[in-house]
Amino acid sequence: MTEAAPKKQPFLSDVATLRERARKHLGDGAITPAYVGDVKKTIDILQSVLATEIVCVLRYTMHAIAATGISSDSVKAEFAEHAREEQEHMKAVAERINQLGGKPDFNPDGLTTRSASYYAEGENLVDMIRENLIAERIAVEHYRELIRYFGDNDTTTRVMLEGILGVEEEHANDMHDLLVAHQGKPMLAG
Ligand SMILES: [Fe+2]
Ligand SMILES: [Fe+2]
């Protein structure tokens, strides 16, 4: 897509940028085996996970309210359930930042810059479902990477992320099923 019509730019075109942003903290070097020296880096990573979850709460909440069209009620209910689960993730991550001695960053300024997720409203029901599916796939990919990154150096953070990952995988499946139901075919290649 060109930059000629940024408002119409499909969400998909930003995926590479989002992935790059999600990985930004991982490129700084390997975590030290002793871990304890790198709490600050863990907090930085978790701040971006927190922002990602906040954006997911906002996006699903908006979609749950704004979705319209034939058989939108069941889709709205699904969006609302996801919004609640994203909120649980948001709180768990904020608690972990707090435990590590950090201050969870809920500042709306710069939220989307910190996030590996994307706030997209969607023009219609299928657009909304598609945007959520893409956002979930990015989250799944990013969290898998973080789980490998933390490994045995911070098992508490890793276990928390594993729990979140399981739910994000369910979310991605749910969105995929909805997309097939409402569009009649799976649309995403890769
Ligand atoms: Fe989440
Ligand atoms: Fe999710």
Side-chain angles (χ1 to χ4, degrees), residues 63-159:
H63 288 180
I65 289 165
T68 53
I70 298 164
S71 58
S72 64
D73 280 356
S74 60
V75 180
K76 277 168 174 274
E78 192 87 41
F79 288 164
E81 188 190 322
H82 286 202
R84 278 191 299 277
E85 287 168 343
E86 305 297 9
Q87 196 175 6
E88 285 170 24
H89 300 164
M90 177 192 84
K91 287 192 275 192
V93 174
E95 289 283 1
R96 184 65 186 143
I97 292 170
N98 188 57
Q99 279 172 6
L100 290 167
K103 194 166 77 173
D105 191 351
F106 280 92
N107 192 337
D109 286 345
L111 180 64
T112 52
T113 310
R114 297 194 302 276
S115 170
S117 191
Y118 188 86
Y119 183 84
E121 293 187 344
E123 301 277 315
N124 54 52
L125 198 63
V126 168
D127 267 2
M128 288 178 178
I129 298 167
R130 189 187 294 125
E131 279 152 10
N132 287 320
L133 175 56
I134 295 166
E136 295 292 355
R137 285 184 173 185
I138 294 172
V140 164
E141 194 179 333
H142 184 39
Y143 294 167
R144 274 189 195 140
E145 211 161 23
L146 290 180
I147 287 162
R148 281 197 295 274
Y149 173 82
F150 285 113
D152 292 330
N153 293 311
D154 181 343
T155 47
T156 307
T157 299
R158 193 198 71 219
V159 167

Side-chain angles (χ1 to χ4, degrees), residues 3-43:
E3 292 187 354
K7 283 200 144 173
K8 296 280 181 198
Q9 191 176 42
F11 174 41
L12 193 57
S13 66
D14 273 340
V15 166
T17 311
L18 293 170
R19 283 185 175 137
E20 196 180 319
R21 191 188 295 166
R23 288 188 178 126
K24 157 177 89 172
H25 293 292
L26 299 183
D28 300 344
I31 197 164
T32 60
Y35 171 67
V36 282
D38 236 338
V39 172
K40 188 189 171 299
K41 187 165 170 181
T42 299
I43 291 170

Side-chain angles (χ1 to χ4, degrees), residues 53 56 59-60 82 85-86 89 132 135-136 139-140 143 164 167-172:
E53 295 294 341
C56 289
R59 195 189 58 250
Y60 273 123
H82 286 202
E85 287 168 343
E86 305 297 9
H89 300 164
N132 287 320
E136 295 292 355
V140 164
Y143 294 167
I164 292 175
V167 177
E168 309 300 8
E169 284 174 338
E170 282 173 26
H171 288 174

